[in-house]
Amino acid sequence: GDSVTQMEGPVTLSEEAFLTINCTYTATGYPSLFWYVQYPGEGLQLLLKATKADDKGSNKGFEATYRKETTSFHLEKGSVQVSDSAVYFCALSSNTGFQKLVFGTGTRLLVSP
Amino acid sequence: DVKVTQSSRYLVKRTGEKVFLECVQDMDHENMFWYRQDPGLGLRLIYFSYDVKMKEKGDIPEGYSVSREKKERFSLILESASTNQTSMYLCASRGGPRYEQYFGPGTRLTVT
């Protein structure tokens, strides 16, 4: 079945450092890809998405590019802030049928001043 | 703004109790979901509902049931709580298959 693999955390960075969180997927067909973020004590929020190969999703300085050839959707940000400390989830859904989300295990990001 | 609310942020129950977790959304969404979140396992789908009175099993339905009598409300029921059901439970809703899922804040359930 479909699955998502993302790097284990925690990822610990200093403020203004460059961030990469790796995500790869296995799926039949051509899924849509998502990054969700969970701030402490809150539910998940959609951060960005891409629905087809070579699409780039972006939001709040974060970016991810849908790479079909490497089945990847890595999350990047050029300069992280303390307020970016959260858990980040990569997810996919098929583009047919009910389109349930399949989540990765989550990566905790800790940014220190 | 879309709002998904869950009845409790924290809940402590004893083994064998029947537990009800309630979720309400205010956007007339057709689809609703229950997930559990555990460290190292991410989010796993327990049950979902594509419309009122309609429900489908997700990936880990054992030990759970659901009820959706009204469009805005989706309840998760633990028939006889066990310690391995200690977890964070997240509810979500969406307008349809091509729409974004909106999540509630979660209920942290501890079964002792």
Side-chain angles (χ1 to χ4, degrees), chain A residues 1-4 24-33 66 71 92-94:
Chain A
D2 296 351
S3 65
V4 174
T24 57
Y25 67 90
T26 302
T28 53
Y30 304 97
S32 291
L33 301 173
Y66 188 140
T71 61
L92 67 79
S93 74
S94 71

Side-chain angles (χ1 to χ4, degrees), chain A residues 7-26:
Chain A
M7 60 191 292
E8 287 194 30
V11 173
T12 305
L13 295 173
S14 297
E15 208 165 23
E16 299 184 3
F18 184 86
L19 168 71
T20 300
I21 300 178
N22 291 336
C23 171
T24 57
Y25 67 90
T26 302

Side-chain angles (χ1 to χ4, degrees), chain A residues 4-99:
Chain A
V4 174
T5 302
Q6 58 182 110
M7 60 191 292
E8 287 194 30
V11 173
T12 305
L13 295 173
S14 297
E15 208 165 23
E16 299 184 3
F18 184 86
L19 168 71
T20 300
I21 300 178
N22 291 336
C23 171
T24 57
Y25 67 90
T26 302
T28 53
Y30 304 97
S32 291
L33 301 173
F34 307 83
W35 277 101
Y36 280 82
V37 58
Q38 184 179 34
Y39 297 105
E42 298 183 13
L44 277 68
Q45 304 172 26
L46 179 63
L47 180 60
L48 54 85
K49 68 178 182 182
T51 58
K52 61 183 188 298
D54 299 325
D55 266 2
K56 178 185 281 188
S58 62
N59 187 24
K60 300 181 180 180
F62 291 89
E63 292 183 341
T65 301
Y66 188 140
R67 301 283 188 202
K68 184 171 176 297
E69 63 277 10
T70 55
T71 61
S72 65
F73 193 55
H74 304 322
L75 183 68
E76 296 182 336
K77 187 176 186 184
S79 176
V80 294
Q81 305 300 313
V82 172
S83 57
D84 294 327
S85 298
V87 181
Y88 292 82
F89 291 91
C90 186
L92 67 79
S93 74
S94 71
N95 283 318
T96 58
F98 191 72
Q99 299 179 20

Side-chain angles (χ1 to χ4, degrees), chain B residues 7 22-25 32 67-75:
Chain B
S7 51
E22 305 286 343
C23 175
V24 177
Q25 50 94 2
M32 297 188 74
S67 172
R68 191 158 179 213
E69 296 298 316
K70 294 186 178 181
K71 194 171 189 179
E72 68 271 18
R73 187 180 298 271
F74 190 36
S75 302

Side-chain angles (χ1 to χ4, degrees), chain B residues 25-103:
Chain B
Q25 50 94 2
D26 67 355
M27 284 302 293
D28 202 35
H29 283 170
E30 290 183 356
N31 305 158
M32 297 188 74
F33 305 81
W34 275 107
Y35 297 89
R36 64 177 282 176
Q37 180 182 2
D38 299 289
L41 296 176
L43 272 74
R44 293 178 292 167
L45 182 63
I46 305 171
Y47 267 95
F48 61 97
S49 167
Y50 48 90
D51 207 342
V52 178
K53 297 191 187 293
M54 308 300 250
K55 57 189 179 186
E56 293 284 342
K57 293 179 180 179
D59 300 318
I60 53 163
E62 296 78 20
Y64 304 94
S65 62
V66 290
S67 172
R68 191 158 179 213
E69 296 298 316
K70 294 186 178 181
K71 194 171 189 179
E72 68 271 18
R73 187 180 298 271
F74 190 36
S75 302
L76 180 69
I77 303 156
L78 286 65
E79 297 290 344
S80 177
S82 63
T83 55
N84 63 12
Q85 293 179 309
T86 291
S87 186
M88 171 71 85
Y89 291 88
L90 291 167
C91 175
S93 73
R94 71 179 185 191
R98 291 193 176 277
Y99 294 88
E100 175 183 346
Q101 283 192 31
Y102 293 88
F103 285 81

Side-chain angles (χ1 to χ4, degrees), chain B residues 7-23:
Chain B
S7 51
S8 305
R9 294 300 298 269
Y10 300 93
L11 209 53
V12 180
K13 296 292 182 181
R14 293 197 181 273
T15 301
E17 278 193 80
K18 190 169 186 175
V19 181
F20 293 86
L21 303 183
E22 305 286 343
C23 175

